[in-house]
Amino acid sequence: MSKHLLVTGGAGFIGSNFVNYWYENHPQDKIIVLDALTYAGNRQNLINLENNPNFSFIHGDICDRQLVDNLLEKEKITTIAHFAAESHVDRSILTPSAFIQTNVIGTFTLLESFRHYWQKKNQPPEYRFLHVSTDEVYGSLDINDPPFTENTPYAPNSPYSASKAGSDHLARAYYHTYKLPTIITNCSNNYGAYHFPEKLIPLMCINILLGKPLPVYGDGQNIRDWLYVQDHCSALDVVLNKGKSGETYNIGGNNEVKNIDLVQLICQIMDEIAPNLPIKPSNELITYVKDRAGHDHRYAIDSSKLQKELGWKPKATVESGLRKTLQWYVDNPQWWQSLLSADYQKYYQQVYTTINS
Ligand code: NAD
Ligand code: TDX
């Protein structure tokens, strides 16, 4: 049976990769994207689908209950894939309130609306509410700690991760209280095409192309587990098609790397693939800056539950995923140049002068 998906945040980085992925693999399904087009949302990311009769785009806020109620009814939604969020840790340190509004109140609004709709339809068991979350809710690991499992206690450390933890608890509670068929996924750091310039990998890549300093926080020894966004999308596909409601699945790339090693690798690949770099070798641009407040030391995901129960495995290594990603930024300067707006420059000034002091 074909699905009618409501994809919230579908104009953002992971959401748009997911929508494009879904059409390649399930062209018969209908997708309705609901996105508020904040600074992080970009309709260009979905341009390939503009004329597809199975696709529509709604510009709106997930906190707007009336709008969501109407959409669920009108579009006969069977599945919500919920990506919409404020997603950047540094912005959550500067301006936390938008994180509480969208991540907590927005998720609550969607759950309430979906609950009423699902109950009115006599609780179809095949309906799903997929809540896309993060490994940051588990807090920070020391170097010898085992990776996060689905049973690791929550210990969020930033306003961003605390707001995501709040939304995860709501999704969990709606299953336990109402049996609403929710599934939660907690994934590690994604990277790939359409990643907004504020995040580590695109920021380093773009600064190399522009000959600007590469700001590494603290001593560069923090560790992240990098997940290529196409691998994340294939994981969400198996979760939506084979996952059990009420369950949580961790999704990780099996690619733990220290920030400084990652930045060195980015420099090395950029020196190979990018023509006419202003500064070469580009690692001359590496600049250590004051640390992020409350900076989590290490994230690592144990995704063996997803691998064993649903048969998923990530395909990309950091090297293979980075090569594709960096090549995409080299080939698509018009995409990222259009995002370096006056507002973005203001944010950049603020974060790299005030956040760390
Ligand atoms: P993003 O910031 O690139 O995109 C977020 C999207 O949500 C944007 O299109 C934005 O316009 C939209 N949005 C924001 N507020 C909204 C609102 N109130 N109503 C409707 N739309 C709204 O984020 P991303 O990196 O693509 O992350 C997607 C999801 O995955 C988020 O829930 C995030 O917490 C989670 N996640 C991201 C990563 C990562 O590495 N990027 C890792 C783990 C989990
Ligand atoms: O300029 C920088 N310099 C730097 O050293 C930036 C932007 C980041 N960093 C460091 C901080 C982190 O240790 O690089 C690492 C990655 O930073 P981000 O790209 O900001 O990602 P992170 O804070 O790890 O969070 C990301 O992964 C989990 C996403 O932004 C979240 O949405 C997701 O939940």
Side-chain angles (χ1 to χ4, degrees), residues 12-14 35-36 38 41 61-62 83 85 87 102 133 160 164 187 190:
F13 161 49
I14 305 175
D35 198 294
T38 67
D61 193 322
I62 57 166
F83 296 88
S87 70
T102 287
S133 190
Y160 162 69
K164 290 296 291 186
C187 68
N190 282 225

Side-chain angles (χ1 to χ4, degrees), residues 303-314:
S303 54
S304 51
K305 175 177 172 184
L306 181 60
Q307 303 203 16
K308 280 191 203 128
E309 290 183 14
L310 306 186
W312 170 85
K313 257 215 304 257

Side-chain angles (χ1 to χ4, degrees), residues 34 69 139 142 160 168 187 227 242 246 261 306 320 325 341 352:
L34 171 61
D69 284 352
D142 286 333
Y160 162 69
D168 293 12
C187 68
L227 173 65
K242 298 202 263 170
D261 295 342
L306 181 60
S320 69
T325 304
S341 61
Y352 292 98

Side-chain angles (χ1 to χ4, degrees), residues 1 17 32 41 50 60 72 103 150 191 209 218 221 236 268 277 284 291-292 310 331:
M1 211 180 73
N17 274 284
I32 292 89
E50 284 296 330
L72 296 181
N103 301 0
E150 290 79 2
Y191 66 104
L209 291 168
Q221 298 298 303
L236 297 179
Q268 188 195 313
L277 287 177
E284 284 176 9
D291 213 350
R292 172 187 278 174
L310 306 186
D331 293 343

Side-chain angles (χ1 to χ4, degrees), residues 87-90 134-136 160 187-190 198-201 203-204 215-217 222 224 226 259 292 295-296 299 352:
S87 70
H88 192 35
V89 174
D90 290 332
T134 172
D135 57 1
E136 301 200 13
Y160 162 69
C187 68
S188 58
N189 285 60
N190 282 225
E198 68 195 354
K199 306 282 170 46
L200 179 72
I201 290 177
L203 186 138
M204 295 297 162
V216 175
Y217 293 161
N222 303 66
R224 297 292 182 266
W226 292 95
N259 288 346
R292 172 187 278 174
H295 195 175
D296 284 338
Y299 305 139
Y352 292 98

